[in-house]
PDB file of all heavy atoms in Angstrom:
ATOM      1  N   ILE A  38      11.279  25.572  -4.355  1.00 81.00           N
ATOM      2  CA  ILE A  38      12.478  25.951  -3.595  1.00 81.00           C
ATOM      3  C   ILE A  38      13.452  26.698  -4.541  1.00 81.00           C
ATOM      4  O   ILE A  38      14.010  27.718  -4.177  1.00 81.00           O
ATOM      5  CB  ILE A  38      13.140  24.729  -2.941  1.00 81.00           C
ATOM      6  CG1 ILE A  38      12.249  24.236  -1.772  1.00 81.00           C
ATOM      7  CG2 ILE A  38      14.559  25.071  -2.441  1.00 81.00           C
ATOM      8  CD1 ILE A  38      12.709  22.929  -1.164  1.00 81.00           C
ATOM      9  N   ILE A  42      14.735  30.521  -3.929  1.00 78.00           N
ATOM     10  CA  ILE A  42      16.156  30.874  -3.852  1.00 78.00           C
ATOM     11  C   ILE A  42      16.493  31.939  -4.903  1.00 78.00           C
ATOM     12  O   ILE A  42      17.203  32.889  -4.644  1.00 78.00           O
ATOM     13  CB  ILE A  42      17.049  29.638  -3.980  1.00 78.00           C
ATOM     14  CG1 ILE A  42      16.893  28.756  -2.731  1.00 78.00           C
ATOM     15  CG2 ILE A  42      18.503  30.012  -4.219  1.00 78.00           C
ATOM     16  CD1 ILE A  42      17.553  27.416  -2.836  1.00 78.00           C
ATOM     17  N   SER A  43      15.962  31.790  -6.091  1.00 75.00           N
ATOM     18  CA  SER A  43      16.196  32.763  -7.155  1.00 75.00           C
ATOM     19  C   SER A  43      15.631  34.132  -6.782  1.00 75.00           C
ATOM     20  O   SER A  43      16.299  35.152  -6.956  1.00 75.00           O
ATOM     21  CB  SER A  43      15.532  32.265  -8.452  1.00 75.00           C
ATOM     22  OG  SER A  43      15.637  33.228  -9.456  1.00 75.00           O
ATOM     23  N   ALA A  49      18.195  40.185  -2.572  1.00 64.00           N
ATOM     24  CA  ALA A  49      19.411  40.506  -1.834  1.00 64.00           C
ATOM     25  C   ALA A  49      20.348  41.386  -2.665  1.00 64.00           C
ATOM     26  O   ALA A  49      20.892  42.370  -2.170  1.00 64.00           O
ATOM     27  CB  ALA A  49      20.129  39.213  -1.412  1.00 64.00           C
ATOM     28  N   ILE A  53      21.491  45.139  -1.061  1.00 61.00           N
ATOM     29  CA  ILE A  53      22.798  45.298  -0.421  1.00 61.00           C
ATOM     30  C   ILE A  53      23.650  46.174  -1.338  1.00 61.00           C
ATOM     31  O   ILE A  53      23.953  45.780  -2.456  1.00 61.00           O
ATOM     32  CB  ILE A  53      23.493  43.947  -0.194  1.00 61.00           C
ATOM     33  CG1 ILE A  53      22.697  43.077   0.775  1.00 61.00           C
ATOM     34  CG2 ILE A  53      24.915  44.161   0.338  1.00 61.00           C
ATOM     35  CD1 ILE A  53      23.258  41.693   0.997  1.00 61.00           C
ATOM     36  N   PRO A  54      24.000  47.361  -0.882  1.00 61.00           N
ATOM     37  CA  PRO A  54      24.823  48.263  -1.712  1.00 61.00           C
ATOM     38  C   PRO A  54      26.159  47.627  -2.057  1.00 61.00           C
ATOM     39  O   PRO A  54      26.713  46.888  -1.247  1.00 61.00           O
ATOM     40  CB  PRO A  54      25.011  49.502  -0.836  1.00 61.00           C
ATOM     41  CG  PRO A  54      23.936  49.441   0.180  1.00 61.00           C
ATOM     42  CD  PRO A  54      23.649  47.965   0.384  1.00 61.00           C
ATOM     43  N   SER A  62      25.121  43.350   6.400  1.00 55.00           N
ATOM     44  CA  SER A  62      23.912  43.807   5.738  1.00 55.00           C
ATOM     45  C   SER A  62      22.800  42.767   5.737  1.00 55.00           C
ATOM     46  O   SER A  62      21.668  43.089   5.408  1.00 55.00           O
ATOM     47  CB  SER A  62      24.227  44.158   4.270  1.00 55.00           C
ATOM     48  OG  SER A  62      25.187  45.152   4.201  1.00 55.00           O
ATOM     49  N   VAL A  66      18.266  42.387   4.817  1.00 48.00           N
ATOM     50  CA  VAL A  66      17.746  41.640   3.678  1.00 48.00           C
ATOM     51  C   VAL A  66      16.797  40.533   4.114  1.00 48.00           C
ATOM     52  O   VAL A  66      15.726  40.358   3.537  1.00 48.00           O
ATOM     53  CB  VAL A  66      18.920  41.027   2.863  1.00 48.00           C
ATOM     54  CG1 VAL A  66      18.398  40.171   1.742  1.00 48.00           C
ATOM     55  CG2 VAL A  66      19.795  42.137   2.329  1.00 48.00           C
ATOM     56  N   GLY A  72      10.885  34.753  17.021  1.00 58.00           N
ATOM     57  CA  GLY A  72      11.616  34.544  18.246  1.00 58.00           C
ATOM     58  C   GLY A  72      12.712  35.560  18.500  1.00 58.00           C
ATOM     59  O   GLY A  72      13.225  35.674  19.592  1.00 58.00           O
ATOM     60  N   VAL A  76      14.992  45.128  18.021  1.00 90.00           N
ATOM     61  CA  VAL A  76      15.980  46.002  18.637  1.00 90.00           C
ATOM     62  C   VAL A  76      16.303  47.163  17.740  1.00 90.00           C
ATOM     63  O   VAL A  76      16.421  47.009  16.514  1.00 90.00           O
ATOM     64  CB  VAL A  76      17.273  45.213  18.945  1.00 90.00           C
ATOM     65  CG1 VAL A  76      18.352  46.104  19.477  1.00 90.00           C
ATOM     66  CG2 VAL A  76      17.007  44.085  19.934  1.00 90.00           C
ATOM     67  N   ALA A  79      21.104  52.792  18.290  1.00 95.00           N
ATOM     68  CA  ALA A  79      21.468  54.157  17.877  1.00 95.00           C
ATOM     69  C   ALA A  79      22.815  54.505  18.489  1.00 95.00           C
ATOM     70  O   ALA A  79      23.246  53.905  19.487  1.00 95.00           O
ATOM     71  CB  ALA A  79      20.393  55.132  18.357  1.00 95.00           C
ATOM     72  N   ILE A  86      22.772  53.548  22.237  1.00 96.00           N
ATOM     73  CA  ILE A  86      21.472  53.426  22.878  1.00 96.00           C
ATOM     74  C   ILE A  86      20.762  52.248  22.216  1.00 96.00           C
ATOM     75  O   ILE A  86      20.536  52.213  21.007  1.00 96.00           O
ATOM     76  CB  ILE A  86      20.649  54.708  22.697  1.00 96.00           C
ATOM     77  CG1 ILE A  86      21.409  55.894  23.291  1.00 96.00           C
ATOM     78  CG2 ILE A  86      19.269  54.539  23.341  1.00 96.00           C
ATOM     79  CD1 ILE A  86      20.843  57.242  22.911  1.00 96.00           C
ATOM     80  N   VAL A  99      14.360  39.850  32.753  1.00 92.00           N
ATOM     81  CA  VAL A  99      15.225  40.257  31.656  1.00 92.00           C
ATOM     82  C   VAL A  99      16.681  40.156  32.125  1.00 92.00           C
ATOM     83  O   VAL A  99      17.031  40.632  33.215  1.00 92.00           O
ATOM     84  CB  VAL A  99      14.909  41.715  31.222  1.00 92.00           C
ATOM     85  CG1 VAL A  99      15.864  42.164  30.113  1.00 92.00           C
ATOM     86  CG2 VAL A  99      13.456  41.817  30.752  1.00 92.00           C
ATOM     87  N   ALA A 113      14.979  37.548  27.519  1.00 89.00           N
ATOM     88  CA  ALA A 113      13.746  37.882  28.245  1.00 89.00           C
ATOM     89  C   ALA A 113      12.803  36.705  28.235  1.00 89.00           C
ATOM     90  O   ALA A 113      12.600  36.075  27.212  1.00 89.00           O
ATOM     91  CB  ALA A 113      13.091  39.097  27.609  1.00 89.00           C
ATOM     92  N   MET A 115       9.051  35.921  28.508  1.00 78.00           N
ATOM     93  CA  MET A 115       7.799  36.663  28.328  1.00 78.00           C
ATOM     94  C   MET A 115       6.614  35.762  28.562  1.00 78.00           C
ATOM     95  O   MET A 115       6.605  34.627  28.119  1.00 78.00           O
ATOM     96  CB  MET A 115       7.759  37.239  26.915  1.00 78.00           C
ATOM     97  CG  MET A 115       8.908  38.197  26.678  1.00 78.00           C
ATOM     98  SD  MET A 115       8.751  38.944  25.083  1.00 78.00           S
ATOM     99  CE  MET A 115      10.417  38.810  24.497  1.00 78.00           C
ATOM    100  N   GLU A 116       5.622  36.302  29.236  1.00 69.00           N
ATOM    101  CA  GLU A 116       4.404  35.561  29.533  1.00 69.00           C
ATOM    102  C   GLU A 116       3.266  36.129  28.746  1.00 69.00           C
ATOM    103  O   GLU A 116       3.158  37.326  28.554  1.00 69.00           O
ATOM    104  CB  GLU A 116       4.090  35.641  31.031  1.00 69.00           C
ATOM    105  CG  GLU A 116       5.149  35.019  31.900  1.00 69.00           C
ATOM    106  CD  GLU A 116       4.805  35.081  33.362  1.00 69.00           C
ATOM    107  OE1 GLU A 116       3.613  35.238  33.686  1.00 69.00           O
ATOM    108  OE2 GLU A 116       5.711  34.950  34.174  1.00 69.00           O
ATOM    109  N   GLU A 136      -1.707  30.311  20.310  1.00 70.00           N
ATOM    110  CA  GLU A 136      -0.398  30.762  19.878  1.00 70.00           C
ATOM    111  C   GLU A 136       0.329  31.574  20.952  1.00 70.00           C
ATOM    112  O   GLU A 136       1.515  31.736  20.919  1.00 70.00           O
ATOM    113  CB  GLU A 136      -0.541  31.614  18.620  1.00 70.00           C
ATOM    114  CG  GLU A 136      -1.083  30.841  17.448  1.00 70.00           C
ATOM    115  CD  GLU A 136      -1.331  31.700  16.223  1.00 70.00           C
ATOM    116  OE1 GLU A 136      -1.467  32.924  16.351  1.00 70.00           O
ATOM    117  OE2 GLU A 136      -1.400  31.124  15.146  1.00 70.00           O
ATOM    118  N   GLU A 143      15.878  35.674  22.990  1.00 85.00           N
ATOM    119  CA  GLU A 143      17.202  36.198  23.269  1.00 85.00           C
ATOM    120  C   GLU A 143      17.821  36.737  21.992  1.00 85.00           C
ATOM    121  O   GLU A 143      17.386  36.403  20.894  1.00 85.00           O
ATOM    122  CB  GLU A 143      18.095  35.151  23.905  1.00 85.00           C
ATOM    123  CG  GLU A 143      18.257  33.887  23.094  1.00 85.00           C
ATOM    124  CD  GLU A 143      19.011  32.837  23.877  1.00 85.00           C
ATOM    125  OE1 GLU A 143      18.361  32.118  24.661  1.00 85.00           O
ATOM    126  OE2 GLU A 143      20.239  32.738  23.697  1.00 85.00           O
ATOM    127  N   LYS A 162       9.949  50.341  30.725  1.00 92.00           N
ATOM    128  CA  LYS A 162       8.620  50.926  30.912  1.00 92.00           C
ATOM    129  C   LYS A 162       7.705  50.487  29.783  1.00 92.00           C
ATOM    130  O   LYS A 162       8.065  50.574  28.603  1.00 92.00           O
ATOM    131  CB  LYS A 162       8.745  52.455  30.930  1.00 92.00           C
ATOM    132  CG  LYS A 162       7.446  53.172  31.225  1.00 92.00           C
ATOM    133  CD  LYS A 162       7.647  54.663  31.319  1.00 92.00           C
ATOM    134  CE  LYS A 162       6.311  55.331  31.625  1.00 92.00           C
ATOM    135  NZ  LYS A 162       6.438  56.785  31.668  1.00 92.00           N
ATOM    136  N   ILE A 169      21.531  52.294  27.841  1.00 96.00           N
ATOM    137  CA  ILE A 169      22.535  53.269  27.405  1.00 96.00           C
ATOM    138  C   ILE A 169      23.903  52.738  27.828  1.00 96.00           C
ATOM    139  O   ILE A 169      24.134  52.494  29.009  1.00 96.00           O
ATOM    140  CB  ILE A 169      22.274  54.659  27.994  1.00 96.00           C
ATOM    141  CG1 ILE A 169      20.898  55.158  27.514  1.00 96.00           C
ATOM    142  CG2 ILE A 169      23.377  55.631  27.626  1.00 96.00           C
ATOM    143  CD1 ILE A 169      20.434  56.444  28.151  1.00 96.00           C
ATOM    144  N   ILE A 181      53.066  51.793  28.037  1.00 80.00           N
ATOM    145  CA  ILE A 181      53.516  50.546  28.654  1.00 80.00           C
ATOM    146  C   ILE A 181      54.978  50.699  29.018  1.00 80.00           C
ATOM    147  O   ILE A 181      55.816  51.042  28.157  1.00 80.00           O
ATOM    148  CB  ILE A 181      53.300  49.352  27.716  1.00 80.00           C
ATOM    149  CG1 ILE A 181      51.799  49.226  27.402  1.00 80.00           C
ATOM    150  CG2 ILE A 181      53.853  48.075  28.338  1.00 80.00           C
ATOM    151  CD1 ILE A 181      51.479  48.197  26.336  1.00 80.00           C
TER     152      ILE A 181
END
Side-chain angles (χ1 to χ4, degrees):
I38 290 172
I42 290 170
S43 174
I53 297 176
S62 301
V66 176
V76 174
I86 302 167
V99 178
M115 299 185 225
E116 297 182 19
E136 296 176 339
E143 57 187 84
K162 185 176 180 182
I169 299 173
I181 299 173

